Amino acid sequence: MAYQGAGIGLAITKAYVEMLGGNIGVESEPGKGSTFWFTLPSGKEDTSEMHQKKPDLTANLQDSGFNKPVMLVAEDDDTSVMLLQRMLEPLSSKLFWADNGTDAVEILRAHPEINLILMDMRMPVMGGYEATKQIRSFNKDVIIIAQTAHAMTGDRDKALEAGCNDYITKPISREKLKTLIGKYYDI
């Protein structure tokens, strides 16, 4: 299904490139066109973990004594999952991953210890709005934070109406996400 863009594709790309330690830019000549470019560090460090198609988000993470939530990330974009994993590992005690709303609902049923969900609102099989409604039918307490790159007028209200506790737009900044989770947990 095609979605009309909100004009934030370059902003999302810029955020991803910068999170990976790179740079991005554009060179434009009127009447001739534009060239968009980016660079990423090639470093000698082992980056094989970053290139996994789907990172293992079920591993227990090191506990630092804070009240860290057990999180479920419902996200179908592998690049977003990789970036969210980097952001969320220090903030959670355990992470689970689902690439569609149906799996998110089933994972939560199987793991009632999950107490925070970062829910992409546009996913295949079942979207985040419907998944949130189904989750609320059996779990009223889990914190659900809606995330979307399609930040159109009314999306926030629609997510809250579906049962989400909060809302964040892509590209997601580490600090904004930490502050948002901090509203619910001492991290």
Side-chain angles (χ1 to χ4, degrees):
M1 179 185 304
Y3 297 104
Q4 182 175 355
I8 63 171
L10 286 175
I12 292 170
T13 302
K14 181 179 186 286
Y16 285 162
V17 168
E18 289 176 352
M19 286 175 146
L20 294 171
N23 292 305
I24 188 168
V26 62
E27 297 166 3
S28 185
E29 290 185 47
K32 290 190 177 184
S34 300
T35 301
F36 295 87
W37 56 267
F38 69 94
T39 60
L40 295 174
S42 62
K44 295 180 182 178
E45 64 197 37
D46 179 17
T47 58
S48 59
E49 182 179 318
M50 289 178 57
H51 297 290
Q52 293 177 356
K53 181 167 173 67
K54 294 181 182 174
D56 178 14
L57 298 179
T58 60
N60 281 319
L61 303 170
Q62 186 176 23
D63 181 37
S64 63
F66 292 105
N67 176 26
K68 294 180 176 181
V70 177
M71 296 184 195
L72 167 60
V73 178
E75 171 64 64
D76 65 319
D77 178 71
D78 291 336
T79 304
S80 294
V81 169
M82 181 180 69
L83 292 170
L84 287 169
Q85 179 184 15
R86 287 181 140 192
M87 286 188 226
L88 294 174
E89 279 181 343
L91 306 177
S92 64
S93 60
K94 193 171 187 178
L95 286 168
F96 293 88
W97 179 80
D99 64 359
N100 64 67
T102 301
D103 288 349
V105 171
E106 292 309 311
I107 289 170
L108 183 62
R109 285 186 192 276
H111 297 278
E113 71 273 19
I114 294 170
N115 49 19
L116 190 142
I117 301 172
L118 193 58
M119 180 75 75
D120 186 17
M121 302 317 285
R122 302 213 184 201
M123 293 181 290
V125 183
M126 178 192 298
Y129 296 107
E130 181 60 30
T132 298
K133 289 175 186 174
Q134 287 192 22
I135 288 168
R136 289 299 182 218
S137 73
F138 67 90
N139 187 325
K140 306 277 189 225
D141 298 323
V142 66
I143 302 298
I144 304 175
I145 299 173
Q147 59 161 333
T148 184
H150 303 281
M152 305 300 259
T153 304
D155 282 353
R156 183 179 195 284
D157 292 338
K158 186 177 176 184
L160 297 175
E161 192 175 292
C164 293
N165 300 84
D166 235 312
Y167 181 87
I168 192 167
T169 58
K170 295 178 184 179
I172 297 173
S173 85
R174 184 184 316 256
E175 287 309 309
K176 284 183 182 176
L177 185 58
K178 184 176 180 180
T179 299
L180 189 56
I181 294 171
K183 286 174 54 177
Y184 304 99
Y185 296 94
D186 297 326
I187 52 170

